Structures are given as structure tokens and as C-alpha cells.
Amino acid sequence: MKIAVCVKQIPEGSSRIDPESKRLDRSGEGALNPFDANAVEEALRLRDAAGESEVVLVSMGPARAQDALRKALAMGADSAVLVSDEAAAGADLVATSYALSKALEREGADLILFGQQAGDSDGAVLWAAVADRLRLPVVSQAAGVTHENGKVTVKRQTEFGYDVIEAPLPAVVAVSDAINEPRYPSLKGIMGAKSKPQATVSLGDLGVEPERAGEQGSRTEVYALGDPPARGESKKIEDDGSAAQVILDFLAEKRLV
Amino acid sequence: MSTLVFLEHHGDELLKGSLGVVTKAATVAGGDIAGVVLGSDVRALAEGAGNFGAAKVYVADDPQLEAPLSQPRVDVLAQLIGDQGIDTVLFANSVLAADVAAGLAARLDAGLNWDLVDLTQENGKLVGKRPALQDSVYVDVGWTSEPRLALFRSGSFDPSETGGSAQIEDVEVVLEEFSTAARMVDQAHEESEGPSIEDAPVIVAGGRGLGGPENFTLVEQLAKALGGAVGATRAVVDAGWYPYATQVGQTGKTVSPKLYIACGISGAIQHKVGMQSSGVIVAINKDANAPIFEFADLGVVGDVHEVVPRLTELVKQRKGG
């Protein structure tokens, strides 16, 4: 079985939006989107259970995003493909899902996994757009995934409890961040990652037309950045043994107790 | 403008979130607002949307739409939007609605702005408001083409009754083969046991920071002393520490009690959207950098295993004395 995991590099630490371009500032250090680590972990688990399987990482981002991919390779993924192209900058859901689906088409994976959301943009919808472009079944919010006889069975959490949904492969599944505890890369994994195949492809390589890429291929725009609505006064204390009393006094003052 | 609201239902009720979006649409877009209900045996529910401001409700009533799966709904909506020349489609966020909206965005090459908390019209242009970067920045966003798709954060708008009624129009259901490939084997049933936390005036909630399921007794005792209910985060529910019916957050309940005490909860965005409209938020967490401190009215950096039982005792003393 071939499993593709879609992963993203996000800015390390606290992020900022560039006031000029109104895009996320990606100039600093990068990290693997933590939600994607759950998808990588689930892929490794499914690969090892199935035997004779491989895990390929598929990503879009600046050339430096190879560093984040190396972290996922160190966890145990087998290879990585990065779609990197200046023309892809500023892509929204429409443009990103198109380019990513072109990259995934080339991989011909049996199972395509996503993490629950992007830690930078809070986007939590890409899988459904990619699945529609690839004309494949999709299941999201997976709290459990099993694979048997050419199909996946997914335990999905919704607002109403847990559903059980079955889909024939190839299929797209987005996993929740509660599905597993991602492993830390071992020293051997980190050393081994350096010799694993990491390809970089351009939009041209994938046959993505310029008018369907980046800002040009996007259908949404950002007008302005503003401050959040002001909150009431808030206070933060360290417990020195008196915190319970402080809370009680606070609740009493607010007439909540 | 021709605005359509995706009306989601569960059992025989339209969801409050969807109806809130209808109410919002009627004030922003003006003119005739249409809704669409997709499911099996849903005609009776569809009529109810008229009372919240929908002038027309399209009904796609088909056994193939019984399970809450996104892809068949994308097929029906794509057809409807094209046939009726609809330029704006609004969704209240849910697991189902998010997947429908994104599938539709790809199918129609239509712009989707998500996690919006407001929508306004400025100089004839629709502008959405989206909190970003842990809600530290509010971004004004828009669309460069039609149809425009918007997904609103849970609980952004309250429905209000207008006393109106809607004209019902049937919609044809033609599905793509790949859209019916995923199959519902067992659909979630609302858990009936346990008290409902949505109406509780006080909620004491526990997260992974409690360390183990046995420590939920600390949370239960504090909740009891305050006359409140117990809530939980997704992580502990998925881990089986506490029942699903108590889960607060994006895929759980949206609550707004007078007092919310978060014990050992980091305050990830999925949890936050379910409780941020609480009157007063108190957070106890040993990690001083936990995001919950960004929006708690009172934050205590400390050990829940010490602070919570001590607080329970103090509350009991005060009430007893």
C-alpha cells in the first residue's frame, strides 16, 4: 500500500502577518505543523501493519520547507515531494487544492492522509477540496482508522458522537489530533532522514497553469488587518499556596459563589 | 444578491447554528434569503426555516442523503447554485458543513473564507471578519468572484424568530459515483445519559492536565460544590476518560455559562470556540504559556491537583457558613 501524507511547514513559535502583503510572514524558522505529526504517525502505523507499504510526504511551500519534511522523514516516512514555486505564493484554498491534487495525482497513493488543521492559518478544510478534485471519497475528524481488504474504516467524531464510516481505497482521510501520540524521531531516524529521497517540483512540472496558481488562481482576498475586540481586565497569578483563596475572592466579587 | 444558507439538521430539528446564519443573512444581505435542507424525510423540517427569515427553502429529499456525509451534498448544491444563479452561500461551521463547503469550493472554483465571526456589506461589497493567530488579529476578508462561500465559527449568531413562512421548492438529486463511495456503517446516536451541560450556569471542565481519568473526581467535586456541571476536552473524551456528552469545543457542545473553570486545559482553538462566550473564565494550568491564559479572566499558573481540591473546600466552607 502507498500512503501519501500531506504536511505543511509553519512558522516556528508565534506567527505574525506582514502588514504590507497581508500574508503570513514565513521568513523566520520553520517547523512541521504539529497537527500533521498525527497524520504522519497514523501513516507509519498503517504502513507497518500492512507490510510492503511506503509513506510519501507531499507538501507545498518555500524551498526551506524541506527542513520540516526532514523532521517527518526522521519520524519514519520514506520519501518526500515538495511543490515549491514562487508563483504559488498567496494561494488560497482553490489554488492550493488544485496544485496539491496535481502533485497527489502523480503519486497515485492508495490512501491520502491529512492532519486536523494548519497551526498557522487554522485552515481545516483542505482535504475535502483535494478529495473533490481527485474524485475520491473523503472522511474527516478521524479518531481511529483501520485498513482491511482494500477499504478503510474510520471512526469519525462529530457534534453528535462517533460515526463509523467505510470507504473503498483510494480514499482521503483527515485525522484528529487525539488519534495518537506522535513519536519523537530517534537519533537513528534523524541520521537516516538525511539520505532519504527529497524531491522538489515546480508548478510547471505538475502541469499547473499559471492563471490557476498563487494569488492569480485564488478567489479570496484580504482587505485589512485589525485589532481584536477589547476584553475586560484579566489577571494571571502564580500559585504560592494562596491561589484557591484568590479564586474564591474573585468569584465572590463577581457574585458567582 | 441571491443568498443561500445551508440548513443542517440532526434528528428532526434544524440546528440552531444554521438558523442563526439565516437571521444574520436576512440583516446583512437583505432581500430574499433562501435555505436548503438536504436529507431523507426532511420536508417537514424545511418549513420551520421560514420562521427565522428564509423566504424560500429548497428541499433535496432522498434516501441517499440520509447519512450526514458531505460529498452527495456537494453534488446537489453545485447543481442548485448553477441552476438558480446563487451568488453567496453561507454555512454555520460543523464537521459536515466544513467538508461540504470545501468540496463545493473545489467543484465550483469558488472562494471560501472560513472561521468568520461576522459579515458586513461595505460599499456594495461583502466583507467577512476572521480572527487569526489565536484571535490576536482580526482580518477583513473578501471574495474576488462568485459564488462566494462563507463558513461561520460556531455560535457566532443567535437565531431570532420572524413569524414568517417559507415557500418550499423541491430539488433534483443526481449524484456522482465517487460521492457515494463512502458509506455510513453506524451513525452516532445522541447519548441520553448524564445531565445536559448546555444549560448549566456553571461548568467546571477538565483536560489532559489532570493526568488521568481518576482525577476527574477533583473536577466533579468542585462542580458539585458550585452547583455546576462537568465538561471535558476532546483529548480526554477520545482517550476514554470522560463521556462524549460532556465534550466542549468545535466537535462537542458550545456552551456559555456564567462561570467556566478550566482545569488542566491548554485552551487550543478547538476547545476555545466551544466556551469563549462564557461570562467569566477561570483557568488553572501548570504551563504558564498555555493559550488559555490569553482569554481567561483569571488565570492561575499552578498544579490542578492542589488548587482544585483546596478551592472545593473553600467553596464548601463559604456555602456552609
Side-chain angles (χ1 to χ4, degrees), chain A residues 116 135 140-141 158 162, chain B residues 99 176 234 238 244 251 270:
Chain A
Q116 173 172 286
R135 302 176 69 82
S140 65
Q141 290 293 349
T158 71
Y162 294 96
Chain B
D99 286 358
E176 301 265 3
R234 171 161 191 178
D238 267 346
Y244 172 74
T251 53
Q270 304 95 303

Side-chain angles (χ1 to χ4, degrees), chain A residues 116 127 132-133 135-136 140-141 156-159 162-164 166 221 223-224 226 231 235-237 239, chain B residues 68 71 95 99 107 109 138 140 142 145 176 183 185-186 188 234 238 244 247 251 270 288 297 299 301:
Chain A
Q116 173 172 286
W127 50 81
D132 195 81
R133 297 211 185 272
R135 302 176 69 82
L136 295 178
S140 65
Q141 290 293 349
R156 172 177 83 163
Q157 197 197 73
T158 71
E159 296 79 3
Y162 294 96
D163 293 327
V164 179
E166 218 174 66
E221 59 187 333
Y223 296 132
R231 270 195 65 88
K235 135 171 120 159
K236 183 170 158 190
I237 59 160
D239 180 28
Chain B
Q71 292 172 299
V95 169
D99 286 358
R107 186 77 60 90
D109 272 325
Y138 273 52
D140 286 346
S145 68
E176 301 265 3
R183 197 171 65 82
V185 178
D186 185 23
R234 171 161 191 178
D238 267 346
Y244 172 74
Q247 184 178 314
T251 53
Q270 304 95 303
D297 300 289
V301 182

Side-chain angles (χ1 to χ4, degrees), chain B residues 57-81:
Chain B
V57 178
Y58 296 102
V59 177
D61 199 341
D62 192 300
Q64 295 180 95
L65 297 170
E66 180 163 11
L69 294 170
S70 63
Q71 292 172 299
R73 286 167 171 73
V74 173
D75 295 344
V76 177
L77 291 175
Q79 184 72 41
L80 175 67
I81 291 163

Side-chain angles (χ1 to χ4, degrees), chain A residues 28-50:
Chain A
E29 284 291 299
L32 177 67
N33 173 30
F35 295 98
D36 293 342
N38 295 102
V40 173
E41 178 63 38
E42 202 56 24
L44 299 177
R45 208 181 56 79
L46 289 164
R47 176 193 69 185
D48 296 344

Side-chain angles (χ1 to χ4, degrees), chain A:
Chain A
M1 179 163 65
K2 182 169 180 177
I3 306 170
V5 188
C6 296
V7 301
K8 184 183 190 187
Q9 172 175 279
I10 66 168
E12 175 98 62
S14 58
S15 312
R16 65 180 280 275
I17 296 176
D18 179 56
E20 275 295 301
S21 69
K22 300 191 181 70
R23 293 178 190 165
L24 196 67
D25 180 0
R26 299 187 189 280
S27 60
E29 284 291 299
L32 177 67
N33 173 30
F35 295 98
D36 293 342
N38 295 102
V40 173
E41 178 63 38
E42 202 56 24
L44 299 177
R45 208 181 56 79
L46 289 164
R47 176 193 69 185
D48 296 344
E52 293 192 25
S53 296
E54 60 165 312
V55 173
V56 57
L57 307 167
V58 179
S59 187
M60 273 179 73
R64 291 179 306 114
Q66 287 288 9
D67 298 344
L69 293 177
R70 205 167 296 117
K71 288 170 196 166
L73 290 171
M75 285 176 70
D78 300 292
S79 62
V81 178
L82 174 67
V83 181
S84 193
D85 203 310
E86 274 177 27
D92 73 350
L93 177 70
V94 164
T96 302
S97 63
Y98 182 63
L100 194 56
S101 65
K102 287 288 201 181
L104 287 162
E105 238 165 47
R106 282 196 350 166
E107 295 305 320
D110 302 292
L111 180 61
I112 299 168
L113 296 182
F114 282 81
Q116 173 172 286
Q117 72 188 82
D120 51 2
S121 64
D122 296 330
V125 292
L126 183 56
W127 50 81
V130 166
D132 195 81
R133 297 211 185 272
L134 294 172
R135 302 176 69 82
L136 295 178
V138 62
V139 188
S140 65
Q141 290 293 349
V145 182
T146 54
H147 158 248
E148 204 178 33
N149 303 328
K151 62 179 194 227
V152 281
T153 304
V154 177
K155 185 177 159 196
R156 172 177 83 163
Q157 197 197 73
T158 71
E159 296 79 3
F160 312 104
Y162 294 96
D163 293 327
V164 179
I165 299 167
E166 218 174 66
L169 297 180
V172 178
V173 176
V175 307
S176 90
D177 64 338
I179 192 171
N180 56 38
E181 202 58 61
R183 70 192 67 183
Y184 287 104
S186 64
L187 187 60
K188 193 173 152 222
I190 294 167
M191 298 309 289
K194 291 174 183 159
S195 55
K196 286 179 177 172
Q198 277 184 275
T200 301
V201 296
S202 69
L203 293 175
D205 296 335
L206 298 173
V208 174
E209 307 83 341
E211 69 274 16
R212 298 193 69 176
E215 209 166 284
Q216 215 191 330
S218 295
R219 298 286 180 270
T220 54
E221 59 187 333
V222 174
Y223 296 132
L225 305 178
D227 291 326
R231 270 195 65 88
E233 253 179 69
S234 73
K235 135 171 120 159
K236 183 170 158 190
I237 59 160
E238 290 271 349
D239 180 28
D240 56 2
S242 68
Q245 188 65 51
V246 174
I247 296 174
L248 186 77
D249 294 345
F250 176 77
L251 297 183
E253 182 198 314
K254 300 268 179 197
R255 297 171 192 275
L256 289 165
V257 65

Side-chain angles (χ1 to χ4, degrees), chain B residues 4-7 35-38 58 60 65 70-86 89-91 96-97 99-105 107-108 147 149 171-175:
Chain B
L4 181 71
V5 179
F6 177 74
L7 297 169
V36 58
V37 178
L38 305 98
Y58 296 102
L65 297 170
S70 63
Q71 292 172 299
R73 286 167 171 73
V74 173
D75 295 344
V76 177
L77 291 175
Q79 184 72 41
L80 175 67
I81 291 163
D83 289 350
Q84 301 294 333
I86 288 160
V89 190
L90 310 177
F91 301 80
L96 178 67
D99 286 358
V100 172
L104 206 50
R107 186 77 60 90
L108 301 175
L149 311 179
V171 172
E172 205 189 355
V173 176
V174 183
L175 305 181

Side-chain angles (χ1 to χ4, degrees), chain B residues 149-237:
Chain B
L149 311 179
L151 185 60
F152 293 97
R153 186 178 277 194
S154 316
S156 291
F157 315 116
D158 287 324
S160 69
E161 298 191 26
T162 61
S165 65
Q167 175 199 339
I168 302 296
E169 192 171 321
D170 282 301
V171 172
E172 205 189 355
V173 176
V174 183
L175 305 181
E176 301 265 3
E177 203 180 324
F178 77 91
S179 295
T180 54
R183 197 171 65 82
M184 182 69 72
V185 178
D186 185 23
Q187 191 177 331
H189 311 281
E190 187 90 56
E191 290 174 50
S192 52
E193 59 225 71
S196 164
I197 64 168
E198 282 153 300
D199 303 318
V202 175
I203 293 175
V204 184
R208 224 197 276 259
L210 285 172
E214 66 283 0
N215 292 329
F216 254 93
T217 53
L218 303 178
V219 171
E220 286 166 349
Q221 284 160 0
L222 178 57
K224 194 174 164 210
L226 288 166
V230 174
T233 63
R234 171 161 191 178
V236 302
V237 169

